[in-house]
Amino acid sequence: MAQPRRRRRLKKRTRRQLQGWGALAAAAAAVWVAGHWSVVWPVLVAMLAAAVVGGGGWALLRAHRHAVGQDRAWRAQEEARARELSMAEVDALSWQEFETYVADLCRRDGCTKVVGSGKSGDLGADVIGYLADGRKLVVQCKKYAPHRSVSSQDMQKFVGTARLEHGADVALFVTTCRSFTRDALGLALRQDIVALHRDLLGSWVKGAHLDTLIPLNGSGGGTRRRPTA
């Protein structure tokens, strides 16, 4: 029992000694500051001013970042709303008219020798043409309701015919629905099929060039939902 008590006493003594030395150091510092006040006060004022300026600058930077973030969010919402408005006429088309419309979009963006099948049994080639750089473009069009998703089976059929049957250099799957299932999108990425969901199609309709949409392949913002299983 004696040993623990001795340790506690030593700790208390050490704590008192540290407190005493701290008080002594504080008193010495106060005496030094009082004796050199003419030198110290400009430094303190400069430090205070720097702290005020730095704090104000940080507050302004945070406010600016917040405003920029809100502006970006608003712009994204407005772009999504504009895409949906531009898709209103597309939603009113029949599946045959939709294929013709996609063919017109291809022509608008410089594709040549564009032809559309306009019928079922076309082995996945609803629109065929050539990009401005000479690559052969084969397009599968699916006129689905916005809430639907393109299934893996739909993608498998196109994968099996786009290059083997039609010799596509660029295979494009365009749909009016918001998403591809996870399996369908994964298959598209592995097989180098360009997947254009509703948001990307809306951008295309609004005037975005096909060449800028091809690299996005299933990504993009706006109102698109995450791929469903």
Side-chain angles (χ1 to χ4, degrees):
M1 293 290 293
Q3 224 173 13
R5 287 178 183 173
R6 193 178 298 114
R7 287 178 181 172
R8 283 196 294 271
R9 288 173 186 170
L10 287 173
K11 287 181 179 179
K12 287 182 180 179
R13 188 181 306 164
T14 303
R15 191 180 304 116
R16 287 172 185 167
Q17 288 176 346
L18 289 174
Q19 289 173 347
W21 283 109
L24 184 62
V31 170
W32 184 90
V33 168
H36 299 79
W37 182 245
S38 61
V39 177
V40 172
W41 77 263
V43 176
L44 293 177
V45 170
M47 291 175 62
L48 180 61
V52 171
V53 172
W58 175 247
L60 288 174
L61 180 61
R62 289 189 62 184
H64 172 71
R65 288 178 176 174
H66 181 67
V68 169
Q70 285 187 322
D71 181 67
R72 286 177 179 171
W74 176 80
R75 288 179 184 277
Q77 291 174 352
E78 289 300 307
E79 287 177 3
R81 190 175 294 113
R83 280 196 299 268
E84 282 302 302
L85 288 174
S86 68
M87 288 295 294
E89 294 182 3
V90 177
D91 289 335
L93 301 175
S94 67
W95 67 266
Q96 296 96 334
E97 291 170 334
F98 177 57
E99 292 178 7
T100 300
Y101 184 74
V102 170
D104 290 339
L105 289 176
C106 292
R107 294 188 186 95
R108 183 201 72 188
D109 289 349
C111 295
T112 59
K113 301 179 182 178
V114 178
V115 295
S117 70
K119 60 182 180 180
S120 59
D122 50 23
L123 297 178
D126 296 320
V127 177
I128 296 177
Y130 291 85
L131 297 172
D133 58 11
R135 288 179 296 168
K136 187 173 184 178
L137 174 69
V138 176
V139 186
Q140 167 77 85
C141 303
K142 285 296 181 185
K143 179 70 167 51
Y144 285 161
H147 66 273
R148 287 189 57 181
S149 297
V150 173
S151 68
S152 177
Q153 289 76 15
D154 288 334
M155 188 61 69
Q156 287 175 26
K157 292 176 183 177
F158 188 49
V159 167
T161 60
R163 290 186 172 83
L164 293 177
E165 291 289 338
H166 305 293
D169 295 310
V170 176
L172 184 66
F173 198 117
V174 182
T175 181
T176 52
C177 64
R178 296 192 187 280
S179 64
F180 295 80
T181 65
R182 191 179 306 277
D183 290 340
L185 186 55
L187 181 60
L189 293 173
R190 291 194 302 274
Q191 298 297 326
D192 196 23
I193 304 294
V194 181
L196 257 66
H197 51 65
R198 184 179 182 86
D199 281 355
L200 295 179
L201 174 60
S203 296
W204 196 14
V205 170
K206 278 188 61 184
H209 199 282
L210 180 58
D211 286 343
T212 67
L213 297 174
I214 288 175
L216 297 179
N217 194 5
S219 62
T223 57
R224 183 176 68 89
R225 298 179 298 184
R226 298 181 64 180
T228 54

